[in-house]
Amino acid sequence: MVASGVPAVPADWWERLAARSIEALVIGVFYYILFIAAWGLLRTVGLLDSFEGRLPGLFAWLVVGSGYAAYDCLAHYRRGRTFGKVIMKIRLAPAPGRALTRADLAKRAALYPGAMVLVGIPGVNLLAGILAFAVGLSILIDRPLQQGIHDKAAGSRVIKEAR
């Protein structure tokens, strides 16, 4: 139940996807800024060809991906939602009969979006793609709470804001 006494309604899959997509656009801008800065720095010091030219991208993705996972955990801990969820008017809530702790939110963020840090690592990036697909699929097929794998691990669910 939410504070107004109205039962909590799970957020639709498309609302969750839209919230993550909004965040991905902003995170992508930070990634490219950092990538260009790292590329310029490594080119200046003569290390651009290290790791077949993949070092700037790897560095940028590890920093930005880890930062996004940390932001995800902190935003959910402080306000129960990220800026994408604010725009979509959805929020994170504990599953019935649970309370969310910092450790739960860290576990949730480590599974997704934290595991997406693997996207920047050649050869391992396929695992990240499979995990992202599995998270999305689990949200679609889980009824009635529409929890993703990361939600189940943390004991959380994403609900619509009381309107």
Side-chain angles (χ1 to χ4, degrees):
M1 299 284 267
V2 289
S4 65
V6 178
V9 177
D12 292 318
W13 67 269
W14 64 268
E15 292 172 310
R16 295 180 72 168
L17 179 62
R20 287 287 186 191
S21 296
I22 290 165
E23 293 166 7
L25 287 173
V26 174
I27 297 303
V29 169
F30 285 119
Y31 166 76
Y32 282 109
I33 290 169
L34 191 57
F35 171 80
I36 290 168
W39 183 84
L41 177 68
L42 292 173
R43 183 171 180 242
T44 303
V45 296
L47 292 175
L48 187 59
D49 293 330
S50 300
F51 300 97
E52 299 174 4
R54 294 182 180 143
L55 196 55
L58 178 62
F59 169 75
W61 189 254
L62 289 174
V63 170
V64 172
S66 299
Y68 180 46
Y71 162 75
D72 189 82
C73 181
L74 186 62
H76 285 123
Y77 180 73
R78 286 188 169 169
R79 296 179 305 280
R81 54 193 174 186
T82 58
F83 67 88
K85 286 183 176 76
V86 169
I87 292 168
M88 294 307 300
K89 295 183 172 53
I90 58 178
R91 68 179 176 84
L92 194 68
R98 296 242 357 208
L100 290 175
T101 65
R102 233 182 229 180
D104 292 330
L105 295 172
K107 188 184 331 177
R108 184 180 190 276
L111 284 172
Y112 190 82
M116 295 309 292
V117 171
L118 300 176
V119 167
I121 304 172
V124 183
N125 52 6
L126 179 63
L127 294 174
I130 291 170
L131 178 64
F133 180 77
V135 166
L137 187 62
S138 64
I139 292 168
L140 288 173
I141 62 175
D142 183 65
R143 297 287 182 235
L145 299 179
Q146 298 177 342
Q147 292 174 299
I149 296 166
H150 59 312
D151 292 316
K152 287 189 179 292
S156 65
R157 61 190 179 142
V158 179
I159 61 172
K160 295 181 184 209
E161 285 283 324
R163 302 187 204 276

